[in-house]
Amino acid sequence: METIAVEYGLVLAGTLFALGLISVLVRRNVIFMLISVEIMLNAAGLAFIVAGARWGQADGQVMFIFIVTMAAAEVSVGLALILQIYHQLKTLDSDAADKMKG
């Protein structure tokens, strides 16, 4: 079986993380920002998997399971906040959330 070089996996993880970070900074829609954070978490998980496979350790897989559970909790809390923002403001623009003072 042919394996993929570690450098390719880390470059892919870095590229996905950069795309997610740029999308978080550029987008104003809260749902797209939440999706971008998910992409960033998956990129970090990919980096752990690649690094763990490089040294033949299961630590990368354990960290990936931790990242997946953290991402699930983040999505549930994030979607609840998005529903509250939409219920009160009738928009998903993150700049409109400044009006929620008090």
Side-chain angles (χ1 to χ4, degrees):
M1 184 170 91
E2 190 174 325
T3 61
I4 298 173
V6 174
E7 292 82 17
Y8 294 141
L10 291 178
V11 166
L12 177 62
T15 304
L16 284 174
F17 191 87
L19 287 173
L21 181 65
I22 290 169
S23 182
V24 165
L25 296 175
V26 171
R27 293 288 188 144
R28 294 292 105 205
N29 190 328
V30 183
I31 292 179
F32 283 115
M33 292 172 74
L34 185 65
I35 292 170
S36 301
V37 170
E38 289 297 317
I39 291 172
M40 291 168 59
L41 285 171
N42 284 328
L46 177 63
F48 277 116
I49 292 290
V50 168
R54 163 68 176 87
W55 287 288
Q57 299 289 324
D59 297 342
Q61 295 173 1
V62 171
M63 287 302 296
F64 182 73
I65 290 172
F66 174 72
I67 288 172
V68 167
T69 56
M70 185 178 63
E74 178 254 337
V75 164
S76 64
V77 171
L79 287 176
L81 289 173
I82 288 171
L83 284 173
Q84 284 298 321
I85 289 172
Y86 185 75
H87 178 70
Q88 290 183 3
L89 301 176
K90 302 296 186 237
T91 183
L92 292 176
D93 188 25
S94 63
D95 293 331
D98 291 337
K99 299 175 184 173
M100 291 184 65
K101 296 178 183 174

